[in-house]
Amino acid sequence: MIDCPALPVPAADLMKAAEDARRFSYMPYSHFAVGAALLGGSGRVYTGCNIESASFSPTNCAERTALFKAVSEGERDFAALAVTGGPAGKPGVFCAPCGVCRQMLSEFCTPEMPVILGAVGKLQVYTLGELLPLAFGPRDVLPHHT
Ligand code: THU
């Protein structure tokens, strides 16, 4: 865990965006609602919620929804991610990104990027590198990748 660094958008505002996105969560199977907000290098905030599927495996987590929205709109570098989740209808609890999301985030985000977890007004901040140490990433496959 780290102290929250100064960000172009205050961590509490980014978490509010994640909480707002959580309201759109589609989770008829798990009843576990997650919201995420990803701050792009451009200053834009991309939000996402989890979207489940009746066949389960196509389910998309909130973090990847936000990331895919951002990348599909041309954003490829990121300053911070905020996440909150928990049982639907209840306030969010600390909910860290799943392994698949950590891997996908590491495709575009540096190990230093802050990942802010929120639970009823409280924040915990980790770096992506803390959440996914020794990540296998683009540089392993493309040594000259920038
Ligand atoms: N989920 C997320 O959206 N993000 C996470 O970091 C963990 C899990 C979703 C997937 C599924 O819809 C529900 O939460 C329960 O696993």
Side-chain angles (χ1 to χ4, degrees):
M1 191 150 52
I2 60 165
D3 290 330
C4 194
L7 294 169
V9 171
D13 292 5
L14 205 57
M15 188 55 67
K16 173 75 168 59
E19 284 165 5
D20 288 346
R22 187 175 174 240
R23 290 184 294 122
F24 298 120
S25 168
Y26 175 75
M27 38 60 204
Y29 310 105
S30 73
H31 306 288
F32 192 91
V34 185
L38 188 57
L39 175 61
S42 69
R44 266 188 72 181
V45 174
Y46 302 85
T47 59
C49 62
N50 55 327
I51 306 168
E52 297 187 343
S53 162
S55 62
F56 288 20
S57 65
T59 291
N60 209 56
C61 290
E63 298 89 328
R64 273 175 293 142
T65 302
L67 179 66
F68 293 160
K69 281 171 68 179
V71 173
S72 68
E73 293 179 27
E75 191 89 58
R76 287 195 184 173
D77 59 80
F78 299 100
L81 171 70
V83 184
T84 187
K90 298 197 172 146
V93 294
F94 294 121
C95 169
C98 79
V100 172
C101 288
R102 294 176 198 202
Q103 182 66 39
M104 201 64 229
L105 287 162
S106 77
E107 187 73 26
F108 293 98
C109 310
T110 66
E112 293 77 33
M113 187 188 77
V115 177
I116 304 158
L117 310 182
V120 282
K122 294 196 179 117
L123 301 180
Q124 290 182 350
V125 187
Y126 298 85
T127 64
L128 182 60
E130 284 180 301
L131 299 181
L132 190 64
L134 282 178
F136 181 86
R139 276 173 198 77
D140 295 296
V141 183
L142 304 168
H144 305 298
H145 186 87
T146 52

